[in-house]
Amino acid sequence: MRNKETSRIIEVYKDYLKDPKCIEKWQRTNKGNLCISNEIRLQVKKYFLSQNISLAGKKILDIGCSGGNIFNTLLELEAIEENITGIDIRADRIKDARNAYPKSLFYEMDATQLDFKKDSYDIVTVFTVMSSI
C-alpha cells in the first residue's frame, strides 16, 4: 500500500510528463542536466578512488534509480552489472532501467518499505531522491 507522500510524488512526475516544458527541462540532453550528471559522475568516481574502494564483486543497491542513471559510473568503477539492484517508485522508470541494464535487477519499491534481507548489499547509493520529497 502506498503512503500519501509516495502517491504525491508519483502524481507530480505524471504531471511533468503532460507538460512539454517539463519534458524538455528533464531531457538528458539538457545542458544543465548534462552538467549535473557529469559532476555526479566525477564526484562518485573521485570518492571511491580516493577511498581505495573497489566495486568489483560488491552487491550494490541504488535507491531511486530512475532509468539507471548512475549505473554507467558504477560499471566504470568495476561494478558487475548483475550485482547492481535498482529500486524506484515509478514503474515507467523501472521499465527504462531494465531495458538499459538487462543484467541488473530492478524493483518498483518504496525506500521506506525495503523488502530485502539484512546485509543483502555492500553499498547503497541514493542520488536526487531527497529533492522529490
Side-chain angles (χ1 to χ4, degrees), residues 46-93:
K46 181 179 174 181
Y47 174 77
F48 282 107
L49 294 172
S50 73
Q51 299 300 310
N52 202 27
I53 298 171
S54 171
L55 300 186
K58 298 279 195 282
K59 294 282 192 175
I60 303 167
L61 174 63
D62 185 24
I63 295 175
C65 69
S66 188
N69 300 348
I70 196 68
F71 282 39
N72 276 342
T73 302
L74 298 174
L75 295 171
E76 288 173 14
L77 289 165
E78 301 180 354
I80 299 167
E81 186 176 335
E82 292 90 334
N83 288 348
I84 307 172
T85 300
I87 68 165
D88 203 290
I89 59 174
R90 298 168 295 155
D92 60 322
R93 301 308 290 147

Side-chain angles (χ1 to χ4, degrees), residues 59-61 83 115-123:
K59 294 282 192 175
I60 303 167
L61 174 63
N83 288 348
D115 191 22
F116 300 111
K117 291 180 183 175
K118 184 178 180 182
D119 299 327
S120 294
Y121 297 96
D122 302 302
I123 296 172

Side-chain angles (χ1 to χ4, degrees), residues 12-78:
V12 166
Y13 278 100
K14 283 181 183 177
D15 287 344
Y16 286 160
L17 295 175
K18 296 174 188 173
D19 183 346
K21 288 182 181 180
C22 284
I23 292 171
E24 183 179 337
K25 178 181 175 182
W26 295 109
Q27 291 291 322
R28 286 185 181 205
T29 55
N30 175 299
K31 289 182 182 182
N33 293 335
L34 287 172
C35 286
I36 291 167
S37 294
N38 286 334
E39 186 65 22
I40 289 171
R41 189 179 124 269
L42 290 172
Q43 292 302 321
V44 168
K45 288 176 83 170
K46 181 179 174 181
Y47 174 77
F48 282 107
L49 294 172
S50 73
Q51 299 300 310
N52 202 27
I53 298 171
S54 171
L55 300 186
K58 298 279 195 282
K59 294 282 192 175
I60 303 167
L61 174 63
D62 185 24
I63 295 175
C65 69
S66 188
N69 300 348
I70 196 68
F71 282 39
N72 276 342
T73 302
L74 298 174
L75 295 171
E76 288 173 14
L77 289 165
E78 301 180 354

Side-chain angles (χ1 to χ4, degrees), residues 2 5-14 89-90:
R2 288 188 180 145
E5 182 63 6
T6 301
S7 296
R8 184 195 67 80
I9 293 168
I10 290 170
E11 288 306 310
V12 166
Y13 278 100
K14 283 181 183 177
I89 59 174
R90 298 168 295 155

